[in-house]
Amino acid sequence: MQIIAIANQKGGVGKSTLAVHLAWLALEQERPVLLVDMDGQANSSRTFTDEFTGVLASKLFTEAPGTLKGSPQAISDQFSLIPADMAINDVEGLELETIERPAAHIRALPLTAETLVIIDTPPTLGRRLLSALIAADAVVSPVALNGYSIQGITDLQKTIQTVMRRFNPRLKNLGLLANMVNSRSATHAQMLGELRQVLGDKLLSVTLGHRVAISDAIDRGRPVWQGTRGESAQRAAQEMRGVCTAILEKLS
């Protein structure tokens, strides 16, 4: 299996949007997918179902390794889900040692070598984000250019480096994805230039524009590249598919 974490401590940057589109593209490529939702808002979980069964995300923290009961929720033959529940928000108060439990639980699941595990994280540098980084083989971090914080991005990169050094040396930092980019905005062009100066090759060459078609597609429970109409929607489809393809290629 391959495990990728979608991580940023700032909310509203498109983590769940990217997570569900990565899942859709991998499924189109006939890869089995497990989506693990650690964000209490459960946006990525609710994209696929409103009824949560099977193993819930909080159990990855509260159950000791080897004692996890149940299985991920089967959405289809190739797609399963460990949905976020209300109790997932409470794990931030647990002992620090619990951050290593999700990795043990996920890697103990009877998944095939081709399975892609996608972990959607909450907007905080707390226990859940750390646990996702410890479990993952790779991490990608969406960042919105609207009110982004260089300091926050720097803090996230330091956290990733700390996890790589202390817990997970195999973790590969795929980089940051600039999201909600207005290609006609001089301010956004300046922001991208500043980010490239600070981050270098840690800023992905691909970007995502601010497209209403993406949120509309998610509301309909489908990827933006399916059933899109209109010039703007077609651009959104091409951008999102291109970004997800690039990320999956870097992951492999």
Side-chain angles (χ1 to χ4, degrees), residues 153-248:
I153 292 170
T154 302
D155 290 345
L156 176 62
Q157 295 302 300
K158 288 180 179 178
T159 298
I160 292 172
Q161 291 296 322
T162 298
V163 169
M164 292 171 68
R165 186 174 62 253
R166 296 184 57 187
F167 297 100
N168 185 5
R170 72 176 178 279
L171 180 64
K172 181 180 180 181
N173 187 359
L174 301 184
L176 284 93
L177 169 67
N179 192 12
M180 305 178 193
V181 178
N182 184 343
S183 60
R184 299 180 180 179
S185 168
T187 301
H188 278 199
Q190 180 182 348
M191 288 178 174
L192 278 174
E194 292 174 358
L195 282 174
R196 288 194 179 97
Q197 286 182 351
V198 173
L199 299 168
D201 61 2
K202 282 294 182 285
L203 182 67
L204 296 178
S205 59
V206 289
T207 64
L208 283 173
H210 186 52
R211 312 284 190 191
V212 175
I214 295 175
S215 57
D216 287 346
I218 289 177
D219 288 343
R220 294 183 176 92
R222 58 172 172 78
V224 68
W225 55 77
Q226 285 185 5
T228 53
R229 295 181 179 179
E231 183 179 348
S232 178
Q234 288 293 332
R235 285 199 299 269
Q238 291 171 359
E239 287 177 357
M240 181 61 78
R241 193 179 188 92
V243 162
C244 291
T245 299
I247 291 172
L248 292 183

Side-chain angles (χ1 to χ4, degrees), residues 108-131:
L109 292 171
L111 304 175
T112 67
E114 295 77 23
T115 300
L116 176 65
V117 180
I118 303 167
I119 307 179
D120 190 10
T121 63
T124 175
L125 281 177
R127 302 278 197 271
R128 287 169 287 170
L129 190 145
L130 288 173
S131 72

